[in-house]
Amino acid sequence: GSDDLGEKQVLTMATSADFPPFESYDTEGNFIGFDIELAELIADELDYELKIEDMNFDGLVGALQAGRVDMVMAGMSATENRRQNVDFSIEYNRSGEMFVTKEDAPVESLEDLEGKTV
Ligand code: ARG
């Protein structure tokens, strides 16, 4: 659509819509999630039309490197290996990993986790 005068330029965002609450589909087949909303805000800010391409997570970095898409938003962690291949934005989410030992199970409430998370 970018050659038609008066039409907005397209910003193509690739994702792997299998990762709620960051990206998934609602029951009507629309994309939903944190990354989807953030992508819409970015496109709005740039005055571009947002196009979302759903693909396999493993294909995202390659699609970006090949220039088939403009950006990737997929809850993707900025690992050292990926950093060597693509440019990451600033971090906008950090997921803490946690574990519970067998001895501490079962966990029935948040209180049960106190002091056991990292
Ligand atoms: N944060 C993990 C990673 O970067 C998992 C991301 C999975 N994302 C997805 N859209 N399936 O490897």
Side-chain angles (χ1 to χ4, degrees), residues 15-19 22-23 35 57 60 73-79 82 95:
T15 193
S16 173
D18 56 357
F19 195 53
F22 293 96
E23 43 269 330
D35 285 341
F57 187 81
L60 290 169
M73 293 181 74
M76 185 179 284
S77 309
T79 62
R82 289 171 184 157
S95 326

Side-chain angles (χ1 to χ4, degrees), residues 69-103:
V69 299
D70 299 313
M71 65 174 177
V72 167
M73 293 181 74
M76 185 179 284
S77 309
T79 62
E80 196 47 54
N81 182 52
R82 289 171 184 157
R83 276 179 200 277
Q84 280 168 20
N85 293 297
V86 289
D87 292 324
F88 280 85
S89 71
I90 57 160
E91 183 179 79
Y92 62 86
N93 177 267
R94 173 165 293 188
S95 326
E97 326 241 333
M98 62 182 199
F99 67 90
V100 180
T101 67
K102 264 186 177 168
E103 291 78 10

